[in-house]
Amino acid sequence: MDIKDRQIIRELQKDGRLSNQDLAERVNLSPSPCLRRLRNLEAEGVITGYTALVDQKACGLPITVFIRIRLERHSDEGVRIFEQQIGRIEEVLDCYLLAGGDDYLLRVLTHSLEAYEDFIRRRIHAIPGIASIDSSFAYGVVKQTRVFPV
């Protein structure tokens, strides 16, 4: 990746709906080379897809919960089962594997505390091998960006 590829990525992170013409202008390329670079970035897996950013509150999901999970054992089978089951739960938007005291960090959106309790009881407690669950509720957002430095 060179500087032009990085500029293309940055501009698309800011606005994924840019036309090729507008993108080319923003990165100071003619449209054909810009489109060729864009297709190469997609083919190489650098750009993995496009999506709409949606306001969670407008969709009735005002509560963000971060859930830290520690497993009882770290056997290959136990980890595989946990990760497979978490991967099937649509309420889990992100699941990170951690170093340190906890094993996983999940990000979940919910519409109420009652719905969150039900989620924990029905979906998370059903996964075998969990030693502990610790929840933190976000009451505000200081910074949130989808644009990372490239």
Side-chain angles (χ1 to χ4, degrees), residues 30-147:
S30 60
S32 291
C34 183
L35 184 58
R36 188 170 43 254
R37 284 175 175 269
L38 176 60
R39 296 294 180 240
N40 285 341
L41 289 167
E42 292 170 344
E44 292 169 4
V46 176
I47 296 175
T48 59
Y50 300 88
T51 188
L53 301 177
V54 179
D55 183 280
Q56 71 185 68
K57 291 178 184 174
C59 289
L61 298 165
I63 301 171
T64 301
V65 187
F66 294 98
I67 307 166
R68 289 171 303 285
I69 292 181
R70 191 166 25 94
L71 299 181
E72 290 173 346
R73 289 182 289 299
H74 296 95
S75 67
D76 289 343
E77 180 71 4
V79 167
R80 185 187 61 73
I81 289 170
F82 175 82
E83 291 179 359
Q84 279 182 343
Q85 290 194 22
I86 284 296
R88 293 185 191 120
I89 301 173
E90 70 177 5
E91 293 91 344
V92 176
L93 301 179
D94 301 308
C95 177
Y96 296 97
L97 182 61
L98 302 176
D102 296 310
D103 297 314
Y104 295 93
L105 177 67
L106 314 179
R107 182 173 64 97
V108 172
L109 303 181
T110 186
H111 64 86
S112 68
L113 294 177
E114 293 81 11
Y116 179 68
E117 178 186 5
D118 184 63
F119 166 76
I120 290 294
R121 289 179 184 270
R122 286 188 319 102
R123 307 301 298 275
I124 300 300
H125 284 168
I127 301 172
I130 294 177
S132 70
I133 301 167
D134 185 35
S135 303
S136 296
F137 295 85
Y139 62 90
V141 177
V142 175
K143 179 180 180 181
Q144 185 176 48
T145 183
R146 308 297 192 287
V147 180

